[in-house]
Amino acid sequence: VIVTIVGAGMMGSAMAMPLADRGHVVRLVGTHLDSEPVDAVRAGRPHPGLGVVLPEGVRASPHETLQAALHDADAVLVGVSSAGIGWASRALCGALPRALPIAMITKGLDVRGDDIAILPDVLRDALPAAVRTEPVTVGGPCIAGELARRAPTAVVFAGRDASAVRRFAEELVTPYYRPFPSDDVVGVSVSAALKNAYASAVGIASGLYERGGGTPGSVAMHNLEAAVFARAAQEMEGLVRTLGGRAETVRGLAGTGDLFVTTQGGRSTRLGRQLGLGKTLAEAREALGNPTLEGVEIAQAVRRADLPLLSRLRAILFDGLPADRIFETP
Amino acid sequence: VIVTIVGAGMMGSAMAMPLADRGHVVRLVGTHLDSEPVDAVRAGRPHPGLGVVLPEGVRASPHETLQAALHDADAVLVGVSSAGIGWASRALCGALPRALPIAMITKGLDVRGDDIAILPDVLRDALPAAVRTEPVTVGGPCIAGELARRAPTAVVFAGRDASAVRRFAEELVTPYYRPFPSDDVVGVSVSAALKNAYASAVGIASGLYERGGGTPGSVAMHNLEAAVFARAAQEMEGLVRTLGGRAETVRGLAGTGDLFVTTQGGRSTRLGRQLGLGKTLAEAREALGNPTLEGVEIAQAVRRADLPLLSRLRAILFDGLPADRIFETP
């Protein structure tokens, strides 16, 4: 099977591992921002973001090659970040030779006022009818650096086309990468998008603790982190239900699982720590080296009165609410 | 209000903080194993487990004083560990002067084959009719060392007597200790008891990772921890439902919240790490200094086919299943 991965960032590239280990032909096509990883992979050097050398069979190439990389492909894996989904949609519109099974690891939401659309639907609707398919979206705990090192995990593959879901799951399963099929594309997509924002909320406690003079250890405001974590899971579940997804999805790998792994490290949690230390969003961004902060975009875009924890995070990020107010008062 | 705490261990003693800060008279009565903390608190020295000096008004005394400490008390807080609940029940039977409101932080289950009883019911049923009340049980994320340092948290007070629940919540709430009332005593009790076992399951990944030569950092089998965490939350929910509690309780502070905080440290998680390192239960116990391991007792006692993660943990603990089998294969 020939699989073309669109996007050579950390997550897209890490997906080459289970694909190559299953013997598939893997073509890794970078975006216009991916020349560094593409050059590294072509030269047999470690992927600069992942720090590992990809398997020998993986062929990397620049974005100009997308059409050629798709002409005889059996499946597409969209591996761009949420910022790249517009580009990827347009590129696929022009380059897809026919209707191909599409899986996507891109996490995000398209929010316009009260209208919230999930990215698999945005991508599907952007494709010309002749090449349109129902994308399969990937959720669950999956830090790219761990996948690239074949550290074990379990994930969720969700989509409205059950046979496409099953096919991707069967072609990617390895002892370390275990996809569980689901039809709840809304639940998986919303969970994947929200978890970055909520991980920032959880991370605030560690910053508050350090600011108060505490040092890491068994006493470190883990109680408060845990209280925020529990509320976050409840709120994610509420929004998923409202948008037509299933609460059980949030309670599983795609919701609780992904939120947990995100709180164990990652940019979103480090942003929370900076806020807890008393920094403004601008100062926190700078302290982190100005990375893309998908959770901040979500907190800004999703404005609903029935998400009080997210609303408090937004007030801390944008309106000067003190970070120690992240948890509700009874 | 005069509150008598039975048990001067870490958690019982830490509860003196919100009680004393709310101006209540606090009498801390040790068990026969608590002479060290009782002596320390009486001498104004730091509590040996908590490392902090309790507020001045807190009076500590040995178990022989229980009857005197209860004669004019307005409420009782049972602060023993699960191993001490039998002693505490018997002691209260003889020492309670009348029916007093009882709160309990003891976490555990009374398992006899397929019959599973929650400790608030065990305590209630052990009391003579003349002094019997419906105990209020305390759940949610609450590491004793953090509470003793007034680090913020939010907890759940649950019981069948709504006015007792409300009264305890009102008398204990402080800016750092926020009790949310609940009537789901089964959900809170079962979650509190199971979380230690499941935290051991979550902790296995870090040991597996170290055993494989890994060093702590952002790549540390957090994916696997997270996958196990998600499954644990699902299983806890299943058992709570079966026993007549509510799934929502597990999804909140008492379930997901308490499980989260337990995985961020604590004996149960360290036991998991030792198992992941390849140690037997006996070796792991020894490496930890032979502490009480409540999760091990739960894993041994609760044998149900509908709890496959707990069953795999039990097989790892007692039957030599390799620790890397903790997660299911699809």
Side-chain angles (χ1 to χ4, degrees), chain A residues 10-232:
Chain A
M10 289 176 67
M11 197 62 226
S13 302
M15 292 297 290
M17 284 296 176
L19 286 167
D21 285 349
R22 285 297 306 278
H24 303 312
V25 174
V26 183
R27 297 176 183 157
L28 184 64
V29 181
T31 71
H32 45 291
L33 297 173
D34 288 338
S35 54
E36 198 187 336
V38 165
D39 290 348
V41 174
R42 290 172 91 169
R45 285 183 278 121
H47 185 286
L50 296 172
V52 301
V53 175
L54 296 187
E56 246 185 53
V58 178
R59 298 263 170 257
S61 60
H63 66 97
E64 296 88 345
T65 67
L66 181 60
Q67 197 159 4
L70 284 171
H71 86 282
D72 60 345
D74 299 297
V76 184
L77 196 149
V78 178
V80 298
S81 71
S82 63
I85 191 67
W87 174 82
S89 298
R90 287 189 300 275
L92 286 172
C93 284
L96 277 173
R98 62 197 168 279
L100 288 178
I102 300 175
M104 61 192 299
I105 53 172
T106 312
K107 300 173 190 331
L109 293 174
D110 187 38
V111 184
R112 302 175 185 209
D114 285 345
D115 276 352
I116 298 180
I118 58 173
L119 294 190
D121 291 352
V122 172
L123 174 60
R124 178 200 59 201
D125 294 346
L127 297 178
V131 300
R132 188 175 295 158
T133 53
E134 281 285 353
V136 173
T137 194
V138 179
C142 199
I143 296 175
E146 295 193 6
L147 178 59
R149 286 164 181 82
R150 299 185 177 90
T153 193
V155 295
V156 181
F157 282 14
R160 296 194 178 88
D161 177 346
S163 72
V165 168
R166 204 168 42 239
R167 183 81 200 280
F168 272 112
E170 285 168 2
E171 296 291 356
L172 270 93
V173 64
T174 72
Y176 58 89
Y177 189 75
R178 292 169 274 201
F180 287 78
S182 163
D183 62 359
D184 187 11
V185 65
V186 170
V188 171
S189 299
V190 172
S191 295
L194 289 178
K195 60 109 196 313
N196 282 314
Y198 285 117
S200 294
V202 172
I204 284 175
S206 67
L208 291 172
Y209 176 71
E210 283 178 59
R211 191 181 182 187
T215 48
S218 68
V219 175
M221 284 209 200
H222 293 308
N223 286 342
L224 182 60
E225 285 171 40
V228 174
F229 184 93
R231 282 289 185 269

Side-chain angles (χ1 to χ4, degrees), chain B residues 2-268:
Chain B
I2 302 174
V3 181
T4 299
I5 302 175
V6 183
M10 289 177 67
M11 198 62 225
S13 303
M15 291 298 288
M17 285 295 176
L19 286 167
D21 285 350
R22 285 296 306 278
H24 304 311
V25 174
V26 183
R27 297 176 182 156
L28 183 64
V29 180
T31 70
H32 45 290
L33 297 172
D34 288 338
S35 55
E36 199 187 334
V38 165
D39 289 348
V41 173
R42 289 172 93 170
R45 285 183 278 120
H47 184 286
L50 297 171
V52 300
V53 175
L54 296 188
E56 246 184 54
V58 177
R59 299 262 170 260
S61 59
H63 66 97
E64 296 88 347
T65 67
L66 181 61
Q67 195 158 3
L70 284 171
H71 87 280
D72 60 346
D74 299 298
V76 183
L77 197 148
V78 178
V80 297
S81 71
S82 64
I85 191 66
W87 174 82
S89 299
R90 287 188 300 274
L92 285 172
C93 284
L96 275 174
R98 62 197 168 278
L100 287 179
I102 300 175
M104 60 191 299
I105 52 172
T106 312
K107 299 172 190 333
L109 292 174
D110 188 37
V111 184
R112 301 175 185 212
D114 286 345
D115 276 351
I116 299 181
I118 58 173
L119 294 191
D121 291 352
V122 172
L123 175 59
R124 178 200 60 202
D125 294 347
L127 297 178
V131 300
R132 187 175 296 159
T133 53
E134 281 285 352
V136 173
T137 194
V138 178
C142 199
I143 297 175
E146 295 195 4
L147 179 58
R149 287 161 182 82
R150 300 186 176 89
T153 193
V155 295
V156 181
F157 282 16
R160 295 194 178 88
D161 177 346
S163 71
V165 169
R166 202 167 45 240
R167 183 79 198 281
F168 272 111
E170 285 168 2
E171 297 290 357
L172 270 93
V173 64
T174 72
Y176 59 88
Y177 189 75
R178 291 169 276 201
F180 287 78
S182 164
D183 62 359
D184 187 11
V185 65
V186 170
V188 171
S189 300
V190 173
S191 296
L194 289 178
K195 61 109 197 312
N196 281 314
Y198 285 117
S200 293
V202 172
I204 284 174
S206 67
L208 291 172
Y209 176 71
E210 282 176 60
R211 191 181 181 185
T215 49
S218 67
V219 175
M221 285 210 199
H222 294 308
N223 286 342
L224 182 60
E225 285 171 40
V228 175
F229 183 94
R231 281 290 185 266
Q234 288 173 314
E235 277 198 12
M236 280 168 57
E237 189 179 314
L239 184 60
V240 163
R241 273 182 207 259
T242 302
L243 298 178
R246 287 203 305 276
E248 299 88 78
T249 301
V250 181
R251 288 173 226 149
L253 294 164
T256 309
D258 196 6
L259 180 61
F260 183 92
V261 84
T262 308
T263 63
Q264 301 306 295
R267 285 192 301 268
S268 298

